């Protein structure tokens, strides 16, 4: 049975819901009015005899019932007497007992004719259970429904996905569905993949989050990708309704993207999704980064990725959309009445809505009670206006005034990592950071756990990992804009940036350098200097505790950003020798590029190089990594190439087989066939498998062609391919707009 508490709705949304419900059960459309007209009336209709029936709604969920009774008696009763309706109906979001209803009826007599003219939470839920169309139309109800919560409990395979979904549901009360929401769903239904782009803080992640909820409510399981698309491929279930979500897919993987690694994986996965009606794929990216990616990564341009893009722009928000965003944040905040009053003086809310720097992220900060704790009501408007005029102050004051040196150091370490980090790894990086001689002058509370406790909830967020130990908890920035501010702040403080960078032991921290270069905050020369510091620090420590991913990433920055004659050869040789002595990393491209350079510029141990390549082939490499391996093979003699080639061919066949359904176009396979006659499809598949093997440089044989055909599983996939997968057509879930616009929304009645 439906059981909403209506806490996700603001008062105007609750009023619209009650009007819809009462219109449905009475068979009359209740009119609604502009502010100031017929005070005390949220809706009305005229009976057949011409008498007036009035509806009043009270969404006072957090207020004790006693106060509601007093308000009805002292404030509403005089209004009703003045209006003198033939009938008065009251809807409230409180739970009401029989005694409560009797008391309200007594207070409102003789205008309330019957007990059921007073509707409490239980009554409204009863009506909703009989009116599913109204329930679907009021978006914020069903996104918090039991069906969504069940998917959190039962359908989210990964802890990260469950945590993300729970966070999305909790934040749903702030969301305002706009026309862009419907356009995004339509594009996702048509193409299977949408890339939501936009400027920082514009609301692209929020839109993507609510697209996720739309599909989770329809039985899709959320798969939240954070690191690499291999995560998605590892849980890809044939015939299962799944929605894959990759937030900031280039921003946190910039170095891999530059090497073509991320770009090729993304485009391949998009093709795979486009042929699978049970899957959806949502990505987000800052517009500038995606445009740079398309300029630098040929495969993104070649695959016409633009058709999947949907840009969120502030111009796409109508004034009433902005008004709803601001109103929602005010309603659901803990701002004092005095602080809220400041936004109503001379209708200041309109100045916020029309401000050139308006964006949803800024509105969140302006209405955040933690952020304004130091500002009295009389200071509040000045604070809000300053944030709008100068958005960098969002984090500048709390970062500089509220944190000590050690707190700022921890935030910098998380920001420079550019992705979530395990608490254990952060603690290790923090210990190295604070132990450095240049940081001896830091002041404040040195204790890691105490400082971390202070940061979580303000600058950092914490998610529980699968293992229930504190050191396995995962930490991330509380808001992406913190990273923007912190990295911008330290981009000119090279000593501190260097100390933070070399305190990490992760490739992701080195990737930050490319991001800083792309945004113009760091020059090529400075990035080479910092990457060199990473390798030099590794040398000093005998590379103990370092990985080939980490050192390979640093060496790749040097190779990519240096003129060939100016590259620091000694450091690159040191990096190559370390990589050669370790197991090939999870991502091969960067390490392979260093070894490729080493094979042409130093007297490298060719036997060791041959063994490294053999181990790399056993690591299930990807297409761009095949190319890197082949370039290394070209530096070996003929006997070594002959020994390695079968292993490389086997890796290619395994890759094609594992990804058969997105490497081979199902449309080409089944063209001209039907579910009842797959003879032609089987013949086509055989030819296409041979062509695909040849495309990868593998000589087709009966054995490897059969491996690809078997993996495609033409019979079972035909059922999915030919079936018309039943998806609910997207319905506009917009809450009906008030008759009036902005002033009506902010009217206090």
């Amino acid at each position: 049975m439906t059981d909403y508490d209506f806490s996700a709705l603001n008062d105007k949304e609750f009023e619209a819901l009650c009007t819809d419900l009462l219109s449905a059960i009475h068979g009359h459309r209740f009119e609604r009015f502009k502010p100031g007209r017929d005070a005390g009336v949220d809706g009305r209709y005229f009976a057949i005899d011409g008498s007036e029936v009035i509806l009043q709604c009270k969404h006072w969920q957090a207020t004790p019932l006693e106060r509601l009774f007093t308000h009805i008696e002292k404030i509403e009763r005089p209004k009703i007497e003045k209006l003198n309706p033939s009938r008065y109906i009251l809807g409230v979001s409180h739970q009401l007992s029989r005694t409560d209803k009797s008391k309200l009826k007594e207070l409102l007599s003789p205008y309330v004719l019957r007990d059921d003219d007073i509707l409490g939470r239980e009554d409204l839920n009863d009506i909703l259970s009989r009116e599913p169309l109204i329930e679907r139309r009021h978006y914020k109800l069903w996104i918090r429904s039991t069906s969504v919560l069940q998917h959190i409990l039962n359908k989210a395979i990964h802890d990260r996905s469950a945590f993300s979904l729970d966070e999305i549901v909790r934040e749903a009360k702030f969301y305002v569905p706009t026309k862009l929401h419907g356009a995004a769903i339509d594009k996702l239904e048509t193409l299977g993949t949408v890339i939501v782009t936009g400027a920082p803080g514009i609301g692209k992640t929020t839109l993507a989050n609510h697209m996720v909820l739309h599909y989770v409510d329809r039985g899709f399981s959320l798969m939240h990708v954070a690191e690499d698309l291999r995560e998605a491929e590892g849980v890809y279930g044939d015939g299962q309704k799944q929605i894959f979500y990759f937030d900031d897919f280039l921003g946190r993987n910039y170095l891999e993207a530059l090497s073509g690694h991320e770009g090729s994986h993304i485009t391949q996965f998009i093709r795979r999704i486009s042929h699978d009606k049970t899957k959806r794929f949502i990505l987000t990216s800052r517009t500038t980064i995606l445009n740079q990616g398309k300029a630098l990564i040929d495969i993104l341009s070649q695959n016409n990725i633009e058709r999947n893009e949907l840009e969120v722009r502030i111009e796409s928000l109508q004034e009433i959309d902005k008004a709803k965003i601001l109103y929602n944040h005010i309603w659901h905040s803990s701002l004092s009445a005095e602080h809220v009053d400041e936004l109503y003086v001379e209708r200041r809310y309109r100045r916020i809505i029309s401000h050139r720097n308006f964006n949803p992220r800024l509105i969140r900060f302006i209405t955040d009670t933690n952020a304004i704790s130091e500002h009295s009501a009389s200071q509040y408007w000045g604070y809000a206006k300053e944030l709008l005029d100068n958005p960098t102050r969002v984090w500048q004051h709390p970062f500089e005034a509220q944190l000590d040196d050690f707190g700022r150091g921890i935030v910098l370490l998380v920001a420079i990592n550019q992705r979530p980090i395990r608490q254990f790894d952060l603690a290790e990086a923090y210990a190295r950071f604070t132990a450095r001689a240049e940081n001896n002058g830091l002041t404040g509370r040195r204790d890691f756990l105490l400082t971390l406790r202070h940061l979580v909830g303000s600058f950092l967020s914490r998610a529980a990992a699968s293992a229930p130990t504190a050191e396995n908890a995962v930490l991330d920035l509380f808001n992406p804009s913190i990273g923007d501010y912190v990295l911008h702040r330290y981009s000119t403080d090279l000593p501190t940036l260097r100390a933070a960078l070399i305190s990490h032991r992760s490739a992701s921290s080195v990737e930050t350098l490319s991001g800083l270069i792309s945004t113009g905050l760091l020059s090529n020369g400075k990035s080479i200097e910092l990457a060199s510091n990473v390798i030099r620090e590794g040398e000093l420590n005998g590379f103990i505790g370092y990985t080939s991913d980490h050192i390979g990433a640093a060496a790749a920055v040097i190779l990519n950003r240096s003129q060939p004659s100016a590259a620091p050869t000694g450091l690159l040789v040191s990096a190559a020798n370390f990589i050669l002595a370790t197991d090939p990393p999870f991502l091969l491209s960067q390490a392979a590029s260093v070894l490729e350079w080493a094979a042409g510029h130093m007297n490298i141990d060719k036997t060791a190089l041959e063994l490294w390549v053999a181990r790399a082939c056993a690591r299930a490499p990807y297409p761009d990594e095949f190319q890197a391996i082949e370039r290394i093979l070209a530096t070996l003699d003929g006997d070594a190439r002959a020994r390695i080639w079968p292993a490389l061919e086997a890796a290619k066949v395994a890759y094609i087989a594992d990804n058969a359904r997105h490497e081979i176009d199902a449309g080409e396979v089944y063209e001209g066939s039907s579910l009842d006659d797959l003879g032609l499809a089987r013949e086509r598949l055989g030819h296409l498998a041979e062509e695909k093997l040849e495309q990868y440089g593998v000589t087709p044989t009966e054995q490897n062609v059969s491996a690809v055909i078997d993996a495609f599983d033409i019979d079972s996939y035909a059922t999915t391919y030919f079936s018309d997968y039943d998806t609910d057509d997207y319905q506009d879930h917009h809450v009906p707009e008030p008759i009036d616009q902005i002033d009506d929304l902010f009217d206090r009645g």
Side-chain angles (χ1 to χ4, degrees), residues 263-264 267-268 270-271 298-308:
S264 63
T267 54
Q268 288 166 1
I270 288 174
R271 287 202 303 273
D298 290 340
I299 196 165
L300 291 181
S301 298
Q302 294 167 2
N303 283 268
N304 191 26
I305 205 168
E306 286 87 353
R307 70 189 189 123
N308 297 96

Side-chain angles (χ1 to χ4, degrees), residues 4 37 80 87 91 158 214 230 240 258 263 269 300 312 326 352-353 457 467 476 513 541 598 612 688:
Y4 298 116
R37 179 179 175 184
I80 299 169
R87 184 178 178 188
H158 295 302
H214 175 89
R230 296 187 200 202
Q240 298 176 24
L258 289 176
F269 199 71
L300 291 181
V312 181
L326 176 59
I352 295 175
I353 293 162
D476 200 1
L513 297 177
N541 290 285
W612 191 92
L688 291 169

